[in-house]
Amino acid sequence: MTFTRDFSAHRVLAATSISYTVVLLDASIVNVALGEIGRTFGSPVSGLQWVVNAYTLTFASLLMTGGTLGDRLGARDVYLAGLAIFVLASVGCGLAPDLATLTLARTLQGIGSAMLVPCSLALINGAYPDASGRAAAVSVWMGCGGVAMAAGPLIGGLLIHALGWRSIFFVNVPVGIVGIWLTLFVDRATSSATARHFDVKGQLAAIVALGTLIGVLIEGPVLGWQSALVQAGIATSVAAWVAFFVIETRARNPMLPLQFFRNALFSASTFVSMASAFVFYGMLFTFSLYYQQVRGYSALETGLAFLPMTSMVAAGGLMSSRIVKQVGGRRSMCIAFGLYAVGALGMTLSNATSPYWLAAVPMVLMGLASGFISPAATSPALGTVEKRRAGIASAVLNSARQSGSALGVAIFGSFIATGRTFAPAMTLVLGVVVATSLVAAFVWWATSAPVPVERGQVS
């Protein structure tokens, strides 16, 4: 009986780990294909921004609703549907005849990811009822994501070199099918449905607010900031953001519980998570163009060039809890953002003819910072909410990360699109990285200080 239960739990872990692997692989692997995609479709930088952001934007906008959908209909069935959508959308990406079709298929990939990622955690939670087993399972799940993030650029480079850029999407198909097959054997009872409320108005307002914001940032440099379309987009975005916060304030069961942010530590954790994703994914996009357009690297050479950075993301995540215990969460987080700043300053020494190691060393520092910050920010944030609300709190943090990623690609890409040459645009990007890192470090230091306990007060 115990063996059967353990085997079933391990099957759940295998299925969910496979899905998380392809989701994070897709978030990083596409960057090394930007040069090939641009040449295939004759796309400017703005078009490449949409290829990256169509996925992350949809993922960020629908992540919390994906969790609610899983609670209402059952995590297993929603997970299966999300994985099926992701696989079919990957086929669409691989077969895309033009940039618009590719962008639409990437949007569908984001929808699938938003359904399957929160339901993955729900399935693990149901399969591992004891706390120690669940913690170990979540560690394996996150570890698979870390490996995928680290290996993504290299795998992408190898696939593109051997089979062309379309192969980076087709590779998702057999992996996704294995995940679907494993999930079909999962008992629906591992995640029963509950009557959670859909915040339809809040969801629609969030999609419009975030979508128009990213759209304005990407298209503003192309159409001109004074164009009627861009001005309308700005007005729509502002109105949608105001509407979203009004709706969430008044809703009985809001998509985004604003009371979480009354806690300074939760607010700071959300902010530093968003800032780290903004910096890391914005640089991933920028460096991809730098290696392929400035240094003339192939997709494979670009994947190899990213290896020091992405491998340190996985290492930073594995070492995060140990570093926090030894150094302290407050100090170690500020040091991590300091590594971002030092790495960005170091990258200013790199140019089209400089030795590769001048770029590799700063990228190691930035990869280590990124890997450390995500788990180090998550743990204290979840400690500020009730256990029964940990799922929605985790969704808020993940949405903040995805939103930060989309903003990084949009803003840094707009710098590149408006620059006459790449070098000054790259310098501006690195300056923003330094400024963002210093602000994030200051916010964390100011809000994460331990509260002194007065005499007679129970700690």
Side-chain angles (χ1 to χ4, degrees):
M1 184 69 177
T2 302
F3 172 79
T4 302
R5 184 170 61 250
D6 289 345
F7 181 74
S8 177
H10 293 335
R11 179 182 286 145
V12 169
L13 180 58
T16 54
S17 296
I18 284 173
S19 69
Y20 196 51
T21 296
V22 295
V23 165
L24 286 193
L25 191 67
D26 219 66
S28 63
I29 198 172
V30 73
N31 282 279
V32 297
L34 293 177
E36 296 291 332
I37 292 172
R39 282 188 285 273
T40 298
F41 299 126
S43 172
V45 172
S46 60
L48 301 178
Q49 287 173 278
W50 279 119
V51 170
V52 175
N53 268 348
Y55 177 78
T56 53
L57 180 59
T58 313
F59 192 9
S61 300
L62 299 178
L63 190 58
M64 285 183 280
T65 292
T68 302
L69 195 65
D71 287 346
R72 286 181 64 92
L73 303 179
R76 174 193 178 269
D77 291 344
V78 175
Y79 171 87
L80 271 174
L83 190 51
I85 290 171
F86 185 88
V87 169
L88 291 174
S90 296
V91 175
C93 289
L95 296 176
D98 51 48
L99 195 69
T101 305
L102 177 59
T103 302
L104 176 60
R106 290 280 290 166
T107 301
L108 293 175
Q109 279 189 316
I111 293 173
S113 297
M115 294 170 66
L116 66 87
V117 167
C119 291
S120 295
L121 286 171
L123 287 171
I124 291 173
N125 190 55
Y128 293 88
D130 60 295
S132 60
R134 184 165 57 250
V138 170
S139 295
V140 171
W141 182 77
M142 293 189 72
C144 288
V147 170
M149 174 59 69
L154 179 57
I155 292 174
L158 290 169
L159 286 171
I160 294 166
H161 179 74
L163 302 171
W165 67 264
R166 296 179 187 275
S167 62
I168 68 170
F169 298 110
F170 286 132
V171 75
N172 294 334
V173 178
V175 179
I177 289 174
V178 171
I180 291 172
W181 177 74
L182 288 170
T183 310
L184 289 173
F185 295 96
V186 174
D187 188 355
R188 283 188 173 90
T190 57
S191 57
S192 57
T194 59
R196 266 187 67 185
H197 172 72
F198 268 120
D199 182 10
V200 178
K201 293 180 180 178
Q203 178 63 86
L204 292 175
I207 292 173
V208 173
L210 190 56
T212 51
L213 173 61
I214 299 300
V216 164
L217 291 171
I218 292 176
E219 297 298 333
V222 179
L223 301 176
W225 294 104
Q226 300 301 319
S227 73
L229 188 60
V230 170
Q231 291 292 313
I234 293 172
T236 302
S237 183
V238 171
W241 280 115
V242 172
F244 173 72
F245 286 111
V246 170
I247 291 167
E248 298 306 280
T249 301
R250 297 178 179 178
R252 293 182 60 185
N253 296 288
M255 180 182 77
L256 177 65
L258 296 179
Q259 64 266 32
F260 285 175
F261 295 96
R262 294 173 185 169
N263 185 288
L265 185 56
F266 184 89
S267 297
S269 296
T270 305
F271 177 76
V272 298
S273 296
M274 188 173 185
S276 179
F278 171 81
V279 165
F280 181 78
Y281 286 98
M283 289 192 304
L284 198 64
F285 180 83
T286 303
F287 292 172
S288 295
L289 297 179
Y290 164 73
Y291 280 118
Q292 294 176 70
Q293 294 184 4
V294 177
R295 299 185 73 104
Y297 283 13
S298 66
L300 177 57
E301 289 170 330
T302 302
L304 290 169
F306 272 121
L307 196 56
M309 183 179 184
T310 54
S311 61
M312 291 309 294
V313 173
L318 292 172
M319 296 187 296
S320 182
S321 60
R322 191 184 313 163
I323 293 172
V324 169
K325 288 179 181 178
Q326 293 178 350
V327 182
R330 189 185 186 203
R331 188 180 304 168
S332 58
M333 183 71 76
C334 293
I335 292 172
F337 276 105
L339 292 179
Y340 265 145
V342 171
L345 291 173
M347 279 297 294
T348 61
L349 302 176
S350 183
N351 55 49
T353 58
S354 61
Y356 166 69
W357 67 265
L358 277 178
V361 172
M363 289 172 69
V364 166
L365 299 179
M366 291 185 279
L368 181 62
S370 175
F372 169 84
I373 289 169
S374 183
T378 299
S379 181
L382 296 183
T384 66
V385 301
E386 302 172 41
K387 288 186 177 181
R388 65 182 180 86
R389 309 195 77 183
I392 187 65
S394 178
V396 171
L397 290 171
N398 277 306
S399 294
R401 292 188 188 105
Q402 295 301 322
S403 299
S405 170
L407 286 169
V409 172
I411 292 174
F412 291 179
S414 69
F415 293 160
I416 296 169
T418 54
R420 292 186 177 180
T421 58
F422 200 96
M426 179 90 158
T427 301
L428 182 57
V429 165
L430 296 172
V432 173
V433 169
V434 173
T436 303
S437 301
L438 295 178
V439 170
F442 173 77
V443 169
W444 184 260
W445 186 265
T447 55
S448 62
V451 179
V453 180
E454 297 178 1
R455 290 185 179 181
Q457 182 181 358
V458 179
S459 59

